């Protein structure tokens, strides 16, 4: 007679209780929310004021509440007056700004990409010292170099020409630093070696291979330079004396000076033109950021993460 050992009953496994997730209310931070709202108001309130003020007449700018529309908005009238004032000189200012900003941005982005690629992928005598000089140049404010640049350009006869604005804007130390960090990870050394084995020259490797891989970082530098050149005021102010060569910043400043000298406060009809012109001048920058936003975001992230 055989005996069978009875196995003790196995306790049924109960599924592990799910870890309770923190509720959305617990994840909220009141101080952080207040700080973000304050930052949002800091950036948006001037834009809201500019949009609202551009719909007002001179009298309404002083008599009505700044953050609310007047009883008779006249944005189309202000836009028409802005483009027709002084025989349409605002159009010349806008086209000059586009020329200065686009040429400077494209040139600065290409030079920064070439220099950053060279620092990242080549080793030469004095490379660390040269790159440290570039880092030091980032700390020098552009206004400190404006007067020496003017004296240098006056010697070669480039003052009061478009080159006086474009050439200084081609030098972008921060863009070079950003492209150097980006190129170190975005361009694999094995790919470059394979291209060299196939007989490709260094210039062809850069323009046909490396430049395509550096496109997101290139767009980032392009946007930074575009905004910096578009908003540049001090350099064109000291370099240019022909109103037909003014960018928007200097041109609107001259209109504001006329408004202050031509009449006391509300008696001047130039103030709505200055405000409306300021609104029109930011529209191309907003469009550029919306179009190139995804390239700009990837360009900032990729260079900061080690693959």
């Amino acid at each position: 007679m055989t005996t069978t050992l009875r196995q003790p009953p196995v306790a049924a496994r109960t599924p592990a209780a799910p870890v309770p997730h923190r509720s959305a209310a617990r994840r909220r931070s009141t101080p952080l929310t207040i700080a973000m709202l304050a930052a949002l108001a800091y950036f948006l309130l001037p834009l809201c004021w500019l949009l609202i003020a551009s719909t007002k007449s001179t009298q309404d700018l002083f008599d009505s509440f700044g953050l609310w529309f007047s009883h008779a908005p006249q944005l189309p009238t202000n836009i028409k007056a802005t483009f027709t004032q002084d025989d349409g000189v605002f159009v010349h200012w806008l086209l000059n700004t586009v020329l200065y900003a686009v040429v400077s941005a494209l040139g600065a982005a290409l030079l920064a990409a070439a220099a950053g690629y060279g620092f990242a992928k080549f080793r030469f005598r004095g490379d660390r010292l040269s790159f440290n000089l570039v880092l030091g140049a980032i700390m020098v404010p552009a206004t400190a170099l404006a007067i020496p640049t003017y004296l240098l350009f006056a010697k070669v006869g480039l003052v009061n020409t478009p080159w006086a604005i474009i050439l200084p804007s081609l030098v972008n130390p921060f863009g070079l630093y950003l492209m150097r960090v980006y190129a170190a990870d975005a361009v694999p050394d094995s790919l470059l070696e394979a291209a060299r084995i196939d007989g490709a020259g260094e210039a062809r490797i850069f323009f046909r291979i490396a430049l395509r891989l550096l496109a997101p970082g290139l767009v980032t530098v392009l946007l930074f330079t575009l905004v910096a050149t578009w908003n540049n005021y001090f350099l064109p102010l000291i370099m240019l004396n022909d109103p037909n060569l003014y960018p928007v910043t200097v041109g609107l400043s001259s209109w504001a000076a006329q408004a202050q000298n031509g009449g006391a406060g509300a008696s001047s009809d130039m103030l709505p033109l200055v405000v409306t012109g300021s609104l029109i001048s930011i529209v191309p920058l907003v469009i550029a950021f919306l179009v190139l936003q995804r390239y700009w975001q990837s360009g900032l992230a990729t260079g900061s993460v080690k693959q």
Side-chain angles (χ1 to χ4, degrees):
M1 181 177 181
T2 59
T3 59
T4 304
L5 296 178
R6 299 181 61 184
Q7 298 292 337
V10 180
R13 294 184 178 179
T14 58
V19 179
H21 294 281
R22 292 184 177 180
S23 61
R26 291 185 180 181
R27 289 198 301 265
R28 292 176 182 172
S29 173
T30 301
L32 182 59
T33 302
I34 295 175
M36 292 299 296
L37 291 176
L40 186 65
Y42 176 80
F43 288 109
L44 291 184
L45 280 179
L47 294 178
C48 292
W49 181 90
L50 183 63
L51 177 61
I52 295 172
S54 62
T55 66
K56 298 181 180 181
S57 62
T58 304
Q59 191 69 27
D60 291 335
L61 284 174
F62 293 92
D63 294 343
S64 61
F65 180 58
L67 294 177
W68 195 247
F69 298 92
S70 62
H71 297 290
Q74 54 176 28
L75 179 60
T77 303
N78 289 342
I79 293 177
K80 181 179 179 180
T82 301
F83 281 105
T84 57
Q85 179 71 22
D86 295 336
D87 297 327
V89 70
F90 181 78
V91 178
H92 289 284
W93 296 342
L94 200 59
L95 293 177
N96 292 337
T97 306
V98 172
L99 174 66
Y100 301 153
V102 172
V103 174
S104 300
L106 292 175
L110 184 60
L111 290 178
Y117 169 78
F119 276 115
K121 298 301 176 181
F122 294 94
R123 293 295 173 263
F124 51 91
R125 181 177 298 178
D127 57 344
R128 292 187 178 181
L129 177 61
S130 301
F131 189 69
N132 289 333
L133 290 177
V134 172
L135 294 181
I138 297 177
M139 307 304 296
V140 179
T143 53
L145 302 176
I147 300 301
T149 304
Y150 173 81
L151 297 177
L152 180 63
F153 278 33
K155 289 287 186 179
V156 295
L158 292 179
V159 174
N160 200 34
T161 64
W163 294 111
I165 311 302
I166 295 174
L167 290 180
S169 302
L170 296 178
V171 181
N172 190 343
F174 175 75
L176 192 155
Y177 167 75
L178 183 64
M179 292 305 299
R180 192 266 183 194
V181 175
Y182 188 85
D185 291 333
V187 182
D189 294 334
S190 58
L191 184 61
L192 301 181
E193 291 298 330
R196 294 187 182 106
I197 293 174
D198 290 340
E202 296 298 334
R204 184 178 181 183
I205 292 174
F206 173 71
F207 286 103
R208 299 292 298 272
I209 299 176
L211 201 59
R212 296 183 180 182
L213 298 175
L214 296 175
L218 196 71
V219 173
T220 303
V221 177
L222 187 146
L223 277 176
F224 283 156
T225 310
L226 182 71
V227 174
T229 309
W230 192 282
N231 295 329
N232 198 356
Y233 170 75
F234 189 63
L235 182 64
L237 180 66
I238 67 173
M239 288 290 186
L240 304 175
N241 52 41
D242 184 1
N244 290 323
L245 295 176
Y246 283 171
V248 170
T249 51
V250 180
L252 292 179
S253 177
S254 65
W255 276 2
Q258 294 178 23
Q260 294 177 359
N261 298 330
S267 62
S268 174
D269 293 332
M270 297 293 294
L271 290 179
L273 306 187
V274 175
V275 175
T276 307
S278 301
L279 177 66
I280 297 172
S281 66
I282 68 173
V283 172
L285 291 182
V286 174
I287 295 175
F289 265 93
L290 293 178
V291 172
L292 302 175
Q293 181 182 12
R294 61 190 184 97
Y295 299 103
W296 174 58
Q297 290 177 345
S298 62
L300 286 179
T302 306
S304 61
V305 178
K306 190 72 175 179
Q307 299 294 336

